Amino acid sequence: MHQPDLKTDVFSPLKLFTHMDVMYDWWQGKNVYPITVELSPSTICNHFCTWCMHGGYFGSHKGDDKSKKANPDASIMPVSFYRTLLDELVTLGTKSMIFSGSGEPFVNPNFMEFVEYTAHKGVDSAIITHGGLLTPEKAKVVVRHCTWIRISLNAGTPETREKIHKVNDFEKVLGNLANLAAEKRRQESKVQIGAQIAVEPTNLAEVEEATRRVRETGIDYFQIKPVILHPKSSSEFYDRDFYLDALYRARAAKQMYETEGFRVFVKEDQFAGVLAPDLERSAYRKCYATFFPVIEANRKVYYCSQTRGQEEFCLGDLSTQSFKEIWEGERRKQIIASINVDECQPICRCHPINKMLWMLRHPNNNPNFV
């Protein structure tokens, strides 16, 4: 079985130290600007995933009339606004853009112009999508300009995909993945094409089948991770036996289907976190990952991807301020000071980064012996 290493682990938090100038400024306590920004071209989604934090925890983000009344901020970001914003972010040192957010990026009819302009500015781009709206024409643009794209499949059969996403497009999405792989070969592109399954009781039995079906498409990798519920979710947290079973199945799928040309990334760190008695809350007592903001299509800037949609974590509104003004403003300082990690989403995107940065600030491992 092919073993991942630090050079090829695309999820390693150690990548942060390839930006030593930024990390030196962070160490000195300077106000560090984001290397990576996550942005929502749309707050609207045409899928209705059962455990979606954006639709389920903070009010609907769907595009029908009923949901717009529930969420008046449902919106599509104009290309002209994005261009002006990106121009400013480049001057502040932003190196990469993840198109994801509370909605589905491809709902924005002009999304490919976002991707093309990002490439024009010399900024790396990536996309997280449910994959149902990815046409062959759009795939050409993605393969030509993006560093990576990851499709949330979340199932091994059409029936389960429909149960979770409430849309029957399983085979269509697999076809879209296969087309991406073929387009990558045609263009001789280096884009990394991935898919993922977030494991929960509905799809637990299909981890191996999902891995097999994804490998058949010819893409580069499959990610297997657990669904981790937000503290504000109304759902019960899954028990320990579930996560142990999910981890066992994930490792079995990796053993069966990983090859030199097809990687299977089991999110061991996330499984370890949810299996820890305290959800690894004690690994750090302060959020140091203060430079990974989210910008929503409604032009509001949020502290991080897990706090989007919550007004108490809104850093500011780009309709009335520049990004620089928001980043250097008093409100952002107040929000950073108010963060209580015990009330945050456990095992969040920045969890491994926080563990690493906390260790640097609070060494307890005989640091002089290297």
Side-chain angles (χ1 to χ4, degrees), residues 309-339:
Q310 301 179 73
E311 285 305 306
E312 62 267 36
F313 296 105
C314 180
L315 306 181
D317 191 331
L318 290 164
S319 298
T320 57
Q321 295 175 283
S322 69
F323 186 88
K324 190 174 189 291
E325 289 171 336
I326 291 172
W327 202 253
E328 296 180 353
E330 286 301 314
R331 178 168 175 79
R332 177 169 174 262
K333 295 176 184 177
Q334 293 167 1
I335 290 175
I336 290 173
S338 74
I339 298 293

Side-chain angles (χ1 to χ4, degrees), residues 1 3 14 21 32 34 59-60 134 150 170 179 183 217 247 250 264 267 278 285 333:
M1 180 177 64
Q3 294 294 330
L14 295 175
D21 53 339
V32 173
S60 177
L134 185 61
R150 184 162 65 247
F170 181 75
N179 180 67
E183 189 62 43
T217 66
L247 180 57
V264 178
K267 293 291 285 179
D278 66 345
R285 304 312 304 151
K333 295 176 184 177

Side-chain angles (χ1 to χ4, degrees), residues 11-31:
F11 303 105
S12 172
L14 295 175
K15 292 189 295 182
L16 195 56
F17 289 96
T18 61
H19 304 277
M20 289 302 296
D21 53 339
V22 176
M23 293 313 300
Y24 183 65
D25 286 345
W26 173 84
W27 182 255
Q28 292 185 309
K30 295 181 180 179
N31 186 20

Side-chain angles (χ1 to χ4, degrees), residues 254-288:
K254 180 180 179 71
Q255 180 73 38
M256 284 188 287
Y257 296 113
E258 184 171 76
T259 66
E260 287 291 335
F262 178 71
R263 303 291 302 280
V264 178
F265 292 102
V266 179
K267 293 291 285 179
E268 296 277 356
D269 60 325
Q270 292 188 6
F271 279 106
V274 295
L275 287 168
D278 66 345
L279 299 175
E280 293 191 342
R281 294 288 198 189
S282 59
Y284 51 92
R285 304 312 304 151
K286 182 178 180 180
C287 180
Y288 283 129

Side-chain angles (χ1 to χ4, degrees), residues 130-340:
H130 61 54
L133 302 176
L134 185 61
T135 64
E137 293 75 21
K138 292 174 181 176
K140 292 178 182 178
V141 178
V142 169
V143 170
R144 184 176 304 117
H145 294 301
C146 288
T147 301
W148 57 267
I149 179 171
R150 184 162 65 247
I151 289 179
S152 298
L153 186 63
N154 297 321
T157 65
E159 294 77 17
T160 298
R161 168 82 171 184
E162 187 170 10
K163 283 180 183 178
I164 293 174
H165 284 249
K166 303 298 185 288
V167 174
N168 183 10
D169 65 352
F170 181 75
E171 298 297 342
K172 175 184 178 183
V173 172
L174 288 176
N176 290 343
L177 284 169
N179 180 67
L180 277 171
E183 189 62 43
K184 176 178 178 176
R185 292 191 295 272
R186 280 193 289 269
Q187 294 191 28
E188 298 182 346
S189 168
K190 293 182 179 180
V191 63
Q192 294 174 318
I193 306 169
Q196 77 169 15
I197 182 170
V199 187
E200 47 110 311
T202 308
N203 61 22
L204 174 64
E206 297 182 3
V207 170
E208 295 94 334
E209 178 65 6
T211 310
R212 182 185 70 82
R213 291 298 308 272
V214 168
R215 188 176 77 167
E216 290 174 349
T217 66
I219 67 169
D220 301 303
Y221 73 88
F222 192 50
Q223 175 181 259
I224 306 171
K225 68 179 186 177
V227 167
I228 303 173
L229 297 170
H230 194 280
K232 292 192 177 184
S233 171
S234 58
S235 302
E236 292 289 331
F237 209 79
Y238 307 132
D239 61 31
R240 180 178 177 83
D241 287 343
F242 165 78
Y243 286 116
L244 286 171
D245 192 6
L247 180 57
Y248 173 82
R249 292 171 184 268
R251 288 172 174 170
K254 180 180 179 71
Q255 180 73 38
M256 284 188 287
Y257 296 113
E258 184 171 76
T259 66
E260 287 291 335
F262 178 71
R263 303 291 302 280
V264 178
F265 292 102
V266 179
K267 293 291 285 179
E268 296 277 356
D269 60 325
Q270 292 188 6
F271 279 106
V274 295
L275 287 168
D278 66 345
L279 299 175
E280 293 191 342
R281 294 288 198 189
S282 59
Y284 51 92
R285 304 312 304 151
K286 182 178 180 180
C287 180
Y288 283 129
T290 61
F291 44 98
F292 295 92
V294 167
I295 301 173
E296 286 289 343
N298 58 18
R299 307 187 185 192
K300 292 184 178 181
V301 183
Y302 291 94
Y303 177 79
C304 68
S305 59
Q306 270 70 39
T307 60
R308 62 161 63 93
Q310 301 179 73
E311 285 305 306
E312 62 267 36
F313 296 105
C314 180
L315 306 181
D317 191 331
L318 290 164
S319 298
T320 57
Q321 295 175 283
S322 69
F323 186 88
K324 190 174 189 291
E325 289 171 336
I326 291 172
W327 202 253
E328 296 180 353
E330 286 301 314
R331 178 168 175 79
R332 177 169 174 262
K333 295 176 184 177
Q334 293 167 1
I335 290 175
I336 290 173
S338 74
I339 298 293
N340 180 353

Side-chain angles (χ1 to χ4, degrees), residues 97-125:
M97 181 69 65
I98 300 175
F99 295 112
S100 177
S102 63
E104 164 56 43
F106 285 94
V107 165
N108 189 318
N110 301 311
F111 177 40
M112 291 300 91
E113 294 183 50
F114 284 61
V115 173
E116 290 172 331
Y117 190 71
T118 306
H120 171 71
K121 295 298 291 187
V123 174
D124 293 342
S125 65

